[in-house]
Amino acid sequence: MLLTLVFIYLALSIGIGLYASRQVHSARDYITANRHLPFPVVLAMVFATWFGAETVLGISATFLESGFRGLISDPLGASLCLVLFGLIFARPLYRLNLLTLGDYFRLRYNRSVELAVSMCIVLSYLGWVAAQITALGLVFNVLSENAISMNQGMLIGMGVVLMYTVFGGMWSVAITTFVQMIVIIIGLLLVTGEAATQAGGVATVIAKAAAEGKFNWLPTLDAVDMLGWAAALLTMALGSIPQQDVFQRVNSSKNESIAIWSTVLGGVAYFFFASVPLFLAYSANLIDPTMVEQLMAKDSQLVLPTLVVQHMPFWLQVVFFGALLSVIMSTASGTLLAPSVTFAENVLRPLLKNQTDQQFLNMTRFIVTCFAALVTGYAIATDASIHTMVEHAYRVTLAGAFVPLVFGLFWKRANNRGAMLALVMGLGTWLTLELLGINEPVEPQLIGLLASAIGMVIGGLSAPATHPAPPRAAHPH
């Protein structure tokens, strides 16, 4: 019965997404919703940027293992990313009226930089989207009591997300996400209330977690520990800034003010609401410590779904799994669209001359389908945890894309030579250290970030500044 109700909910989500797709009449509609989205919808989408499988299943499991100390990258770094993007980057990028973030690198530098950075952005999404697909497989596996395998669940979940994303693009992502965020907030709060009652009250759960040191989050005064802490924070906080999924939400806003404040408030809302799954996970430790101990040894990501199935009344099971699927699908749809439109616009389109708008739209939809197949295959093949896949996703953009974006916006001497040196030195240093397994005393992506900045400064001081092309050059279409 529970599985049947979940499938009905999935069918409704598909229906909403396909209804929203009626708004798509051009590539601009598909990629930016023609910049028509109001504040509540953009706020919901920004909140959903990070509030996915990683938050509900990933960081809640990490909290049980490591406490707040294991959550520096997410939610702290992830929230900081959104606040910084809103306050510093939203205004100048929104004013350029671009289709993708990759377009910025063509305008500010040249085609070579656009291609290199766009590929970095696309590759960084492999683990991020795969994490959502893995979570969908896990949910169907739990709901069916192993009748649906993890792999089969991944295929079903991706099929649902793909069905409305491929037709409706940003319009479908926006409308379905807005509905799904309502389900998420109401659902998780209701489940949390029941869990708190069973665990002896909110104060009891918090006091017990504090007594076990779960709220310790600052590093020790040891230099290596502080560097590791900083690496975890900066990888997510800075590495996630040059990303298409964050940019496309900001860029779909109806006006500049919405672009800025929906992003800032979305980041703040994410930070506080991310505490709800943490509370649920620790409540499980008080409600059924034997179950938690067994699952921690097997797969800690199963703690919350198993708690709900074994200890919650049926109606709350429906609410929880509806909310959980909403969480995952809202994130999966946006992060599936982001790399696909980047690859279509910034890698393929310049190679295919004289495309009509309709041809470009059809090509983008085809790329969405191909990327869905690729990440599903990767999710099936890898055995990495959800948290690990997400944590590693943004190392490539931190080392390769962050410096060209920031210096291009805020340093007048930034030029093509500096951008290419930043890419080569940043990515080269990071990859070399990763391949050699050298991750102490500083993690490879931070050294890559430093090398990238050095490359930009050397290039900027050794050659004339590159002046940005007029914004209209990014949109011959």
Side-chain angles (χ1 to χ4, degrees):
M1 183 62 179
L2 180 58
L3 192 59
T4 300
L5 290 172
V6 165
F7 276 115
I8 291 172
Y9 176 71
L10 293 176
L12 288 173
S13 295
I14 292 172
I16 293 169
L18 292 179
Y19 179 80
S21 71
R22 298 169 62 193
Q23 299 288 335
V24 176
H25 306 293
S26 67
R28 183 174 287 274
D29 285 333
Y30 189 82
I31 296 173
T32 70
N34 207 17
R35 301 185 121 195
H36 273 29
L37 300 182
F39 179 82
V41 175
V42 180
L43 177 65
M45 288 200 301
V46 170
F47 176 75
T49 304
W50 304 133
F51 204 91
E54 152 74 350
T55 310
V56 179
L57 301 177
I59 68 174
S60 60
T62 303
F63 179 71
L64 285 176
E65 296 168 350
S66 310
F68 274 172
R69 188 64 174 80
L71 306 179
I72 302 307
S73 62
D74 189 8
L76 183 59
S79 302
L80 182 59
C81 162
L82 294 174
V83 172
L84 289 175
F85 196 99
L87 293 177
I88 299 173
F89 298 92
R91 179 178 280 109
L93 289 174
Y94 186 84
R95 289 178 177 179
L96 292 175
N97 192 22
L98 308 173
L99 271 186
T100 68
L101 191 58
D103 286 342
Y104 167 77
F105 294 98
R106 180 173 70 249
L107 282 173
R108 184 62 179 87
Y109 302 110
N110 57 24
R111 168 64 181 155
S112 297
V113 176
E114 173 198 16
L115 181 61
V117 175
S118 295
M119 287 307 301
C120 286
I121 291 172
V122 170
L123 289 172
S124 72
Y125 279 96
L126 193 60
W128 183 225
V129 186
Q132 312 311 310
I133 304 309
T134 300
L136 286 169
L138 186 149
V139 171
F140 284 114
N141 179 251
V142 171
L143 283 175
S144 66
E145 297 180 349
N146 296 318
I148 298 175
S149 69
M150 281 281 292
N151 291 350
Q152 290 169 336
M154 291 182 200
L155 293 172
I156 294 170
M158 178 49 87
V160 171
V161 172
L162 179 63
M163 193 173 296
Y164 64 78
T165 305
V166 75
F167 289 107
M170 182 51 72
W171 271 112
S172 290
V173 170
I175 303 306
T176 54
T177 296
F178 182 70
V179 174
Q180 288 161 348
M181 284 304 105
I182 295 172
V183 175
I184 289 165
I185 292 171
I186 295 173
L188 286 182
L189 289 178
L190 287 172
V191 172
T192 301
E194 175 65 21
T197 301
Q198 293 188 26
V202 174
T204 300
V205 176
I206 293 175
K208 179 70 172 170
E212 291 189 7
K214 296 296 185 182
F215 296 147
N216 297 334
W217 64 283
L218 290 172
T220 65
L221 296 179
D222 177 72
V224 173
D225 190 47
M226 286 191 287
L227 288 170
W229 191 94
L233 178 69
L234 295 179
T235 298
M236 199 77 170
L238 303 185
S240 304
I241 285 174
Q243 286 290 352
Q244 175 64 18
D245 61 331
V246 178
F247 171 78
Q248 70 188 6
R249 286 158 166 80
V250 172
N251 198 43
S252 300
S253 304
K254 188 182 292 186
N255 57 50
E256 189 177 294
S257 177
I258 291 173
I260 295 167
W261 293 110
S262 62
T263 310
V264 173
L265 294 177
V268 173
Y270 172 72
F271 180 78
F272 286 105
F273 204 74
S275 63
V276 173
L278 307 185
F279 180 88
L280 271 174
Y282 201 80
S283 297
N285 200 32
L286 299 182
I287 295 168
D288 192 342
T290 303
M291 177 268 288
V292 171
E293 184 179 358
Q294 291 172 348
L295 291 177
M296 292 295 287
K298 177 187 175 185
D299 185 352
S300 57
Q301 296 166 154
L302 290 169
V303 169
L304 284 191
T306 306
L307 169 72
V308 172
V309 168
Q310 294 184 1
H311 294 277
M312 298 282 172
F314 179 76
W315 72 273
L316 275 180
Q317 293 178 31
V318 175
V319 167
F320 174 80
F321 284 104
L324 181 56
L325 285 170
S326 295
V327 161
I328 300 167
M329 290 192 300
S330 63
T331 302
S333 58
T335 51
L336 175 62
L337 185 66
S340 303
V341 300
T342 298
F343 190 80
E345 163 77 357
N346 303 113
V347 177
L348 288 185
R349 186 166 192 168
L351 303 176
L352 304 172
K353 305 297 183 183
N354 302 317
Q355 269 191 325
T356 66
D357 188 75
Q358 185 61 46
Q359 288 172 330
F360 175 61
L361 176 58
N362 292 338
M363 180 183 72
T364 304
R365 285 172 165 156
F366 176 72
I367 297 301
V368 170
T369 305
C370 293
F371 194 78
L374 176 65
V375 295
T376 304
Y378 174 71
I380 291 172
T382 186
D383 60 354
S385 72
I386 292 170
H387 194 182
T388 300
M389 281 191 279
V390 170
E391 215 171 22
H392 290 176
Y394 299 111
R395 295 184 178 189
V396 60
T397 45
L398 180 66
F402 181 75
V403 166
L405 174 64
V406 174
F407 279 70
L409 286 172
F410 303 113
W411 193 40
K412 292 182 179 179
R413 291 199 59 88
N415 56 25
N416 296 339
R417 180 185 294 179
M420 286 308 298
L421 282 175
L423 280 161
V424 172
M425 291 176 65
L427 291 174
T429 301
W430 167 64
L431 284 172
T432 300
L433 294 174
E434 286 279 4
L435 291 173
L436 294 175
I438 301 173
N439 53 20
E440 290 183 356
V442 181
E443 292 198 32
Q445 68 271 18
L446 274 192
I447 300 179
L449 174 65
L450 178 61
S452 181
I454 292 171
M456 174 60 80
V457 171
I458 291 172
L461 296 178
S462 63
T466 300
H467 298 291
R472 64 178 180 275
H475 290 294
H477 43 284

